[in-house]
Amino acid sequence: MQTPFYHYDLNILEQTLCAIEEHSAQLENVHIHYAIKANANPLILKPILNHNFGIDCVSGGEVQAAIDAGFAPSSIVFAGVGKADWEIDLALELGIACFNVESEAELDVIQERAALKNKVANIAFRVNPNVDAHTHANITTGLAENKFGIEIPMLEPIIRKAIALPNIAFKGIHFHIGSQITEMEPFEALCHKVNEVQDLLESKGIELESINVGGGLGVDYDNPETNYIPDFKSYFDVFRKNLKMRAGQQLHFELGRAIVAQCGRLITKVLYVKQGTSKQFVIVDAGMTELIRPALYDAHHKIVNLSSEDELQKYDVVGPICESSDVFAKDILLPMTKRGDIIALLSAGAYGETMASKYNLRKLPQATTEF
Ligand code: LLP
């Protein structure tokens, strides 16, 4: 296959899915929705479907991709601050499990569209819990300053309104505090916040059928070869120990990165090794168009040279795009590298292929499970 391309190791994905099943089983009435924004490649979706996970979507395109891959509408939840009318219509037609509603204005539109179609929309309100996820500013979502969700003081009146609307069925509350969270403390804080909100609502006579705690569990980008299964045990333990669920209540998770990051790597070829006055550059044929995370979030992806075992040298690994931020790594040690060597950027299964672009009129990367 022409480089650059994504290689997915379905064995790693399978082990990851089994680990989630094993450790989430300690919780009752639990539903895992895979956050399809992390990777929508059908190669990845099939094993996830086989494990009976549901899907978490943030666009009509994602809803459609989930349906095309065979997921049942009743397993799909749909979040996002800016759902367009056609996206709402599509989800209503299909009869998805739940809209995660982010504002009163959106509630009004869903009511209006549902009435036109004579349907009833299941909804949950996304709560902005004001919990700090201690992660990169661009992927923190649960702070009052972020655009996501409804602030707690505004919750009760909007729930009352939803309950009174004829084409809306109010189901519960939804949270998502951020992504690439590697410590358990923010999840514990989230649990306390969920309990607080639930107690508050209950004291006002509002009962919840479902609680959705979102996703956000991080992965080990530093040691992906040795530590490729995220710590699902500690993660689900936190919720089991801290969340005060009511009898019969359903608990939903929306994990993305933790499911698919470690099963994917970006394979690229060295075009040139260029000697600068103070630096040596390895110029590869993949760039920020295939994997934008380093340019966008200063993200670190471990880089290995699959073709060389020579002595180590210091390099900057850069792409071919005409942007100075098109850099994968600076001053890293790699075995002596030459034109034609094959390089792998690890842990690229999540937010890699889905965030690819055609900038500089490049072709979108292909993907394979065989390499
Ligand atoms: N649920 C909601 C409502 C979300 O917004 C997200 C991710 C997830 C679930 C899944 O989160 P995860 O388990 O994957 O952390 N492009 C960034 C990550 C953006 C995450 C956006 N929301 C990156 O490459 O790091």
Side-chain angles (χ1 to χ4, degrees), residues 341-362:
D341 283 0
I342 297 294
I343 301 277
L345 288 113
L346 308 186
S347 320
Y351 306 110
E353 195 185 344
T354 41
M355 292 181 80
S357 80
K358 295 198 257 186
Y359 183 45
N360 284 194
L361 298 191
R362 287 165 62 84

Side-chain angles (χ1 to χ4, degrees), residues 36-37 60 89-90 145 190 193 208 236 262 333 347:
I36 193 172
K37 66 174 80 64
D89 287 350
L90 174 67
E145 67 200 54
L190 170 63
K193 192 60 84 160
L208 307 170
F236 288 113
Q262 301 293 24
L333 292 173
S347 320

Side-chain angles (χ1 to χ4, degrees), residues 13 74 82 114 126 130-131 142 175 178 186 246 272 276 289 316 333 357 369:
L13 178 57
S74 59
R126 176 163 181 182
N130 205 8
V131 167
F175 299 78
R246 310 302 195 248
Y272 305 102
T289 40
D316 281 14
L333 292 173
S357 80
T369 53

Side-chain angles (χ1 to χ4, degrees), residues 8 40 96 186 198 247 304 326 344 346:
Y8 297 120
I96 62 161
Q198 171 143 250
V304 290
D326 186 31
L346 308 186

Side-chain angles (χ1 to χ4, degrees), residues 230-278:
D231 189 1
F232 294 114
K233 179 173 188 323
S234 302
Y235 176 71
F236 288 113
D237 261 353
V238 166
F239 292 93
R240 183 176 54 80
K241 288 188 188 142
N242 295 288
L243 213 52
K244 287 193 288 172
M245 298 293 290
R246 310 302 195 248
Q249 210 165 41
Q250 307 295 308
L251 178 59
H252 299 260
F253 290 87
E254 302 171 342
L255 292 168
R257 186 189 319 264
I259 301 181
V260 294
Q262 301 293 24
C263 75
R265 48 187 194 159
L266 178 61
I267 305 295
T268 177
K269 195 186 270 180
V270 176
L271 295 173
Y272 305 102
V273 178
K274 172 170 156 176
Q275 185 67 57
T277 50
S278 62

Side-chain angles (χ1 to χ4, degrees), residues 123-170:
I123 68 127
F125 285 112
R126 176 163 181 182
V127 181
N128 185 325
N130 205 8
V131 167
D132 193 347
H134 302 302
T135 182
H136 190 282
N138 288 5
I139 49 177
T140 292
T141 48
L143 290 176
E145 67 200 54
N146 299 130
K147 66 179 175 181
F148 299 101
I150 295 164
E151 290 178 57
I152 293 169
M154 299 161 81
L155 208 51
E156 192 205 336
I158 196 175
I159 292 177
R160 295 222 179 276
K161 175 172 175 178
I163 291 172
L165 290 172
N167 298 79
I168 297 288
F170 171 70

Side-chain angles (χ1 to χ4, degrees), residues 83-148:
K83 300 181 188 76
D85 292 10
W86 74 266
E87 297 178 305
I88 293 171
D89 287 350
L90 174 67
L92 284 169
E93 286 299 337
L94 290 165
I96 62 161
C98 196
F99 288 86
N100 291 325
V101 175
E102 307 232 8
S103 65
E104 186 172 352
E106 181 190 334
L107 175 69
D108 292 338
V109 174
I110 296 176
Q111 160 59 33
E112 189 184 299
R113 312 300 305 179
L116 283 174
K117 294 181 185 301
N118 213 5
K119 305 242 180 210
V120 173
N122 292 335
I123 68 127
F125 285 112
R126 176 163 181 182
V127 181
N128 185 325
N130 205 8
V131 167
D132 193 347
H134 302 302
T135 182
H136 190 282
N138 288 5
I139 49 177
T140 292
T141 48
L143 290 176
E145 67 200 54
N146 299 130
K147 66 179 175 181
F148 299 101

